[in-house]
Amino acid sequence: MKYEAVIGLEVHAQLQTNTKIFCGCETAFGEEANTRTCPVCIGMPGVLPVLNRKAIEYIIKTGLATNCRINAYSRFARKNYFYPDLPKGYQISQYELPVCEHGFVEIVVDGAVKRIGLTRIHLEEDAGKNLHTSESGASLVDLNRAGTPLMEIVSEPDIRTPDEAAEYLKKVRSILRYIEVSDADMEKGNFRCDINVSLRPVGAKEFGTRAEVKNVNSFKFVQKALEYEIKRQAQVLDEGGKVIQETRLFDSNKGVTFSMRSKEEAHDYRYFPEPDLVPVATAEEVIENIRKTIPELPDAKRERFVREHGLPEYDADMLTQSRAMAAYFEETVKLAGQPKVVSNWMMGELWRLLNADNKEIENSPVKPERLAGMIRLIDAGTISTKIAKTVFDEMYKSGKDAETVVKEQGLTQVSDTGAIEQIISDVVKANPGQHADYKAGKEKLFGFFVGQVMKASKGKANPEMVNELLKKKLSE
Ligand code: ADP
Ligand code: MG
Ligand code: ZN
C-alpha cells in the first residue's frame, strides 16, 4: 500500500434524559407513532424552546471525561434544510461556540498509547423518522424522535486504520456508559457514526480529498465501510483519477459504499444564531460540581487492575470495558482473592454462557458471591478445576450455589488415598500390555493411564494424587 488513510469520525450519541431537549415530551423508543409529541417538537408556529438542564449537565460531564475545554459561553444555531422528518425546516444545533472543544481520548495501538483528538462536542436535536410503507405506498412521518437530545462528538483526523477507528469508538462508548450519559447502543440507533476518510501518499503532509460515509450502524460495518472506502479510493488514485468530495452510504449486504450526493458545505445550511434561545453561560462552580460526579474511568481502572491485581493488560482491558463487569470482578476478588483465577472464570465460562443467552453481566444468574464460593471449593480440594466447569454450568442453569450442586450431584473430588489406589490397581490390571510397554520405556503411556483412571473415577479423582500414586504403581 503506497497510501496512508486519514480518518475522522463524527459520533452522534443520544443523551439518556427522561425528556426531550426543548420540550417536556418523554424520550421513548418503540412507542406508537406520534404519541410522544407536542406543539414544540412538531414545530408549530409561535412555540418557544426551553433548554433541558440535564442535557447541558450531561454534555459537560462528557467534555470533562474526555479532557475537553468547557466553554464559559456556548450558543445554539439554526441549521436549515428541508426534509419531511424535520418539521421546523431547521435543526437546532450548535455551530460557533459549542459546549466542549479541544479534548482527546486514548486508545492502545500495538501496545502503545495513542491520543485521538476531539475537535468539539456539541448539542443538537434529533429529527423524526420517515417510514416508507409498502402496503399503502405512502410515506409516513413519526415525530416521536424529533427533539431527542443528541451530542455530536467530532474527532480530529487522527485515526489511521479501520482497527484504530474501532478502538476509538469502543473507548468513546465505554466512557459514555461509565459516566451514565448515554446507553450508546448502536443496535438501538442511539450511537451512530459518520466516517470521513481520505488517502495520501505515505510520507505526505497534506490531506487528500475525503469522502464521508453517513450513518454506519455497527462496529463491524464501520470497519468494513472503511476497508472498502480505502480500497476504492486507492484504485481511483492509481488510475490517475481524483477522489470527489461527496457523501456516501454503506450497503451492509453488499459490503460496498455508494454515492448519495455531493458534499454539502456549511454555507448550504445557512447557519445563524438561534434567536429563541439565550446563550448558555456555565459557572466554574457548576463545572466543578459536575466533575465530582465522574467515576473512575476505564483507562484509570485498567491501569489500576494491572497495578493492584497484577492482571495482564489484556485481562484488565477486557474486564474494564463496562463498569458492571469491573465491579463484578472486584467483588469476586474481595471474597475469593486470586484475581487471575477470577478473571479466567469470568472471561471463560461466564462470558460463554452469558453470550449464548444474550445476557448482560448485570443479569448473570451466577452472582459474585456464588463464583467466589465455587473458587473456594476448588481451593479446599473439594472439587477439581475440571469438575468445577460442570458445577459452574449447573450453577448458571439452576441458580443454586456451588456446595448444593456438588452435594446434589455427588461431584466431590475423591482425595482418599485408598479409593484412588483401588481404581489405579484395577486399571493397571486391566491393561497389562500397556503396563509392560511403559516399563520397557514407553513413557508416553503415562498419559493413557491417567486418562483411564480419571475416566473410571468419573473425573472426580484428585488429579495430583492420581499422578503421584500412579507413578508409584506403574514402576512396581
Ligand atoms: P462536516 O461537518 O462538513 O462533515 P468537519 O470539518 O466538521 O466537516 O469535519 C468532519 C470530520 O471530518 C472530522 O471528524 C474531521 O476530523 C474529518 N476530516 C476533515 N478533513 C478530513 C480529511 N481530509 N480526511 C479525513 N477526515 C477528515
Ligand atoms: Mg460531517
Ligand atoms: Zn414535545
Side-chain angles (χ1 to χ4, degrees):
M1 180 81 171
K2 49 185 190 288
Y3 304 109
E4 175 182 57
V6 171
I7 300 165
L9 301 180
E10 296 163 87
V11 169
H12 287 93
Q14 182 184 323
L15 293 172
Q16 59 189 46
T17 55
N18 296 325
T19 56
K20 293 186 179 180
I21 185 167
F22 299 123
C23 64
C25 290
E26 186 192 346
T27 50
F29 179 76
E31 300 293 337
E32 197 187 329
N34 297 308
T35 56
R36 301 296 188 277
T37 55
C38 73
V40 173
C41 56
I42 64 176
M44 296 299 269
V47 298
L48 289 171
V50 176
L51 180 59
N52 183 333
R53 178 180 286 266
K54 265 279 176 257
I56 283 284
E57 265 176 50
Y58 285 169
I59 190 173
I60 291 175
K61 200 170 176 185
T62 307
L64 293 173
T66 53
N67 312 291
C68 286
R69 182 180 85 198
I70 310 300
N71 287 328
Y73 276 94
S74 72
R75 154 162 112 186
F76 289 91
R78 290 190 182 179
K79 180 177 181 181
N80 299 277
Y81 66 90
F82 294 96
Y83 205 63
D85 63 11
L86 188 73
K88 295 194 294 294
Y90 59 85
Q91 177 195 30
I92 303 181
S93 179
Q94 297 193 294
Y95 188 56
E96 300 149 334
L97 296 178
V99 179
C100 317
E101 285 181 286
H102 310 303
F104 65 85
V105 299
E106 291 181 337
I107 58 172
V108 176
V109 180
D110 300 328
V113 172
K114 172 169 178 173
R115 270 190 189 182
I116 308 296
L118 299 185
T119 316
R120 57 193 270 139
I121 308 178
H122 69 245
L123 272 180
E124 61 187 31
E125 58 179 338
D126 206 348
K129 247 183 201 162
N130 292 335
L131 305 161
H132 307 289
T133 62
S134 48
E135 302 119 60
S136 61
S139 283
L140 307 174
V141 183
D142 174 9
L143 294 175
N144 281 353
R145 205 180 63 182
T148 299
L150 297 180
M151 214 165 32
E152 177 167 342
I153 305 169
V154 182
S155 88
E156 289 287 311
D158 290 345
I159 299 164
R160 292 290 170 268
T161 65
D163 282 345
E164 286 184 25
E167 284 306 308
Y168 166 78
L169 289 175
K170 270 191 220 153
K171 184 52 65 68
V172 170
R173 179 181 66 175
S174 161
I175 292 171
L176 298 187
R177 289 181 175 172
Y178 263 66
I179 62 176
E180 296 177 315
V181 299
S182 173
D183 288 341
D185 191 335
M186 270 192 149
E187 263 81 62
K188 285 201 204 126
N190 53 33
F191 190 81
R192 312 197 283 267
C193 183
D194 299 344
I195 56 197
N196 297 271
V197 53
S198 63
L199 296 186
R200 63 180 171 187
V202 171
K205 281 234 160 62
E206 301 239 320
F207 291 157
T209 307
R210 74 183 143 127
E212 176 169 12
V213 187
K214 283 267 181 210
N215 265 328
V216 188
N217 60 4
S218 87
F219 283 83
K220 211 174 72 208
F221 293 164
V222 166
Q223 272 174 299
K224 287 250 151 32
L226 281 169
E227 279 160 17
Y228 178 85
E229 210 28 52
I230 290 169
K231 245 193 247 152
R232 182 188 72 85
Q233 292 183 18
Q235 197 176 350
V236 170
L237 296 174
D238 280 345
E239 287 166 0
K242 276 200 172 120
V243 173
I244 330 172
Q245 179 153 335
E246 63 182 350
T247 302
R248 300 175 71 87
L249 288 177
F250 179 63
D251 179 336
S252 56
N253 290 319
K254 299 204 187 106
V256 304
T257 67
F258 58 94
S259 180
M260 177 166 83
R261 56 167 190 247
S262 69
K263 169 93 181 122
E264 68 290 340
E265 303 281 343
H267 62 247
D268 294 330
Y269 289 120
R270 293 165 292 126
Y271 279 101
F272 63 87
E274 167 60 66
D276 291 341
L277 287 163
V278 292
V280 180
T282 316
E284 199 50 46
E285 188 194 331
V286 171
I287 296 174
E288 287 318 307
N289 283 336
I290 295 173
R291 199 191 295 279
K292 285 186 207 130
T293 67
I294 295 178
E296 183 182 36
L297 294 173
D299 287 342
K301 221 186 252 303
R302 188 191 71 234
E303 279 161 30
R304 186 168 62 76
F305 277 18
V306 171
R307 198 175 60 235
E308 229 169 66
H309 297 300
L311 285 185
E313 281 282 345
Y314 178 79
D315 295 45
D317 191 42
M318 297 302 275
L319 291 172
T320 51
Q321 277 177 12
S322 90
R323 251 170 111 178
M325 187 81 69
Y328 188 106
F329 168 78
E330 291 209 287
E331 256 174 74
T332 312
V333 169
K334 212 192 292 163
L335 299 167
Q338 310 174 80
K340 182 56 182 152
V341 172
V342 173
S343 166
N344 289 347
W345 279 100
M346 285 182 67
M347 300 202 307
E349 296 303 293
L350 182 58
W351 284 12
R352 185 173 62 73
L353 293 166
L354 289 173
N355 273 339
D357 262 2
N358 219 341
K359 269 204 176 107
E360 298 291 330
I361 196 145
E362 290 91 320
N363 306 316
S364 168
V366 179
K367 302 284 176 226
E369 311 83 79
R370 295 274 161 97
L371 173 54
M374 190 197 75
I375 292 173
R376 279 196 299 261
L377 288 188
I378 301 174
D379 288 347
T382 311
I383 53 173
S384 66
T385 303
K386 188 141 179 280
I387 286 287
K389 293 216 165 104
T390 311
V391 174
F392 192 84
D393 265 36
E394 188 54 32
M395 286 163 67
Y396 186 94
K397 263 191 257 153
S398 65
K400 291 175 182 163
D401 64 29
E403 268 173 65
T404 309
V405 170
V406 168
K407 223 180 276 158
E408 281 180 2
Q409 309 216 350
L411 294 172
T412 307
Q413 175 165 256
V414 177
S415 298
D416 164 4
T417 313
I420 294 177
E421 275 173 346
Q422 184 57 55
I423 298 171
I424 288 178
S425 150
D426 290 348
V427 164
V428 173
K429 230 181 262 159
N431 298 282
Q434 279 89 340
H435 189 193
D437 288 351
Y438 176 84
K439 284 186 35 181
K442 248 186 133 181
E443 288 188 12
K444 264 209 228 130
L445 281 168
F446 188 71
F448 162 79
F449 281 104
V450 172
Q452 293 298 309
V453 172
M454 291 311 286
K455 199 165 141 204
S457 75
K458 300 202 175 64
K460 289 188 287 187
N462 179 326
E464 277 152 39
M465 293 179 64
V466 169
N467 265 316
E468 195 189 310
L469 296 171
L470 194 57
K471 251 185 212 135
K472 227 195 300 167
K473 175 76 184 177
L474 285 176
S475 56
E476 272 173 13

